[in-house]
Amino acid sequence: MDGTTVLATAAAYHQDNKRNWDLEIDSRSFELVNRSSWHRLRFALMQDNAQVGEIQETTRLFAVTRTYEVRAPRSFDPVIQAFLYHLAAARTYTS
């Protein structure tokens, strides 16, 4: 939210034992689909069955801190990109 304006919403669901999200951003519908493997976090941002972005872990082996890359449409504000990262990373590592 930005004051009283809703910037984005997310509703979680499980499919194939993985958590995915239905998103509404700027009045458009998206889906954040978990494509992670056992050693690497990766989510695809989908709109109308086409990938329009992704979030992936870029941490190197034996690194002390985790690093991520968020590729999202240019129209997405940095706050929206942070929200997408939060959905993917924070929820994945706590569930």
Side-chain angles (χ1 to χ4, degrees):
M1 294 198 66
D2 183 11
T4 59
T5 304
V6 175
L7 300 176
T9 61
Y13 67 93
H14 282 85
Q15 182 177 1
D16 299 326
N17 265 350
K18 293 185 177 184
R19 180 183 297 268
N20 298 323
W21 289 267
D22 285 330
L23 305 168
E24 186 170 322
I25 301 169
D26 297 329
S27 300
R28 295 179 291 169
S29 295
F30 295 90
E31 186 177 16
L32 194 59
V33 178
N34 189 334
R35 301 253 170 93
S36 300
S37 60
W38 67 272
H39 67 288
R40 175 94 34 180
L41 177 135
R42 183 171 172 269
F43 282 82
L45 181 64
M46 308 293 288
Q47 184 179 37
D48 299 326
N49 294 320
Q51 185 170 335
V52 296
E54 72 177 346
I55 300 164
Q56 70 179 19
E57 184 175 4
T58 57
T59 307
R60 295 190 183 274
L61 193 61
F62 303 118
V64 176
T65 59
R66 294 186 186 274
T67 57
Y68 302 89
E69 180 177 21
V70 177
R71 292 187 199 142
R74 292 193 187 275
S75 63
F76 283 13
D77 172 288
V79 172
I80 299 297
Q81 293 181 38
F83 177 64
L84 294 174
Y85 158 77
H86 171 75
L87 292 175
R91 192 62 200 143
T92 297
Y93 290 120
T94 60
S95 58

